[in-house]
Amino acid sequence: MNAGETQRRPWIVGVSGASGTPYAAAVLRALLDAGESVDLVVSRASRLTLLDETGISFRDAHWRDDLREWLARGADGKPNTFAGSEDTEGRLDRVRHWSAGDLAAGPSSGSYPCKGMLVVPASTACVAGVALGLSKDLLQRAASVTLKEGRKLVVAVRETPLNGQTLRHLVTLDDAGATVLPASPAFYAGATHIQDLVDFVAGRVLDAAGVPHTLYHRWKGELGGSRTT
């Protein structure tokens, strides 16, 4: 292991099977824009959601090509919305992909260096699995490890309505130190496009993680201020 490898401390991004894959793409783009390294875990269920919402098949053997296409796609489904604006290949060099079924992967251990974990979007099944400590796949195991090590865990739950069982699971996660962040777009930031609403939620995820970004207009105490920005 070289010196550069020992210094790498990524954010783990887990993508579960809830609707909302554009949220995940926005978070990933912003993390890479901020110069962060990323360890990516895409659950089996989320691959079906991604295929349904974008038409993209996420394959372990071709994850780099599939991720490149995913990150270039806008929230409205249009391809190449974000392509060419950044050094795409250089940014992807800061991403490491782990198969969701690989329970021997780096993020499965508390000794693996990382800054924390962002689960975007988080399905109710994922929430239950982490709250109960099931560790049925790498995503759940990495989230449990993040909690036990006292690192930042942000859970962007994307479901409505929420029943009592899920609410109890969310309280359990909150009690354990996680940040429960419903994927609830706000309208005070002057959204004019679906991407603006997606970016607001992604920005709030990054706010909770302490990662700088410029994804949305912040409230400055001036009514209608975002409409004149």
Side-chain angles (χ1 to χ4, degrees), residues 147 152-157 173-174 176-182 204-205 208-209:
L147 285 177
K152 173 63 72 174
L153 174 65
V154 182
V155 179
V157 61
L173 292 180
D174 179 78
T179 298
V180 175
L181 195 151
R204 295 300 287 153
V205 170

Side-chain angles (χ1 to χ4, degrees), residues 64-99:
R64 191 179 178 102
D65 291 337
D66 298 336
L67 179 61
R68 182 188 301 108
E69 182 180 358
W70 183 15
L71 296 186
R73 193 170 296 253
D76 58 2
K78 292 182 180 179
N80 301 317
T81 299
F82 295 97
S85 60
E86 299 286 346
D87 177 11
T88 303
E89 293 308 313
R91 298 196 316 166
L92 291 183
D93 286 342
R94 288 186 272 114
V95 179
R96 176 179 291 173
H97 167 257
W98 300 97
S99 173

Side-chain angles (χ1 to χ4, degrees), residues 87-169:
D87 177 11
T88 303
E89 293 308 313
R91 298 196 316 166
L92 291 183
D93 286 342
R94 288 186 272 114
V95 179
R96 176 179 291 173
H97 167 257
W98 300 97
S99 173
D102 185 3
L103 290 176
S108 68
S109 172
S111 66
Y112 183 77
C114 67
K115 293 182 177 180
M117 183 171 183
L118 315 175
V119 184
V120 188
S123 66
T124 55
C126 173
V127 166
V130 177
L132 297 173
L134 298 182
S135 295
K136 74 170 188 176
D137 61 9
L138 179 60
L139 194 160
Q140 291 185 15
R141 171 60 184 171
S144 295
V145 167
T146 300
L147 285 177
K148 82 178 182 69
E149 294 296 323
R151 297 169 182 152
K152 173 63 72 174
L153 174 65
V154 182
V155 179
V157 61
R158 215 308 307 162
E159 186 59 87
T160 190
L162 297 173
N163 62 24
Q165 186 176 47
T166 297
L167 290 170
R168 286 187 286 273
H169 289 151

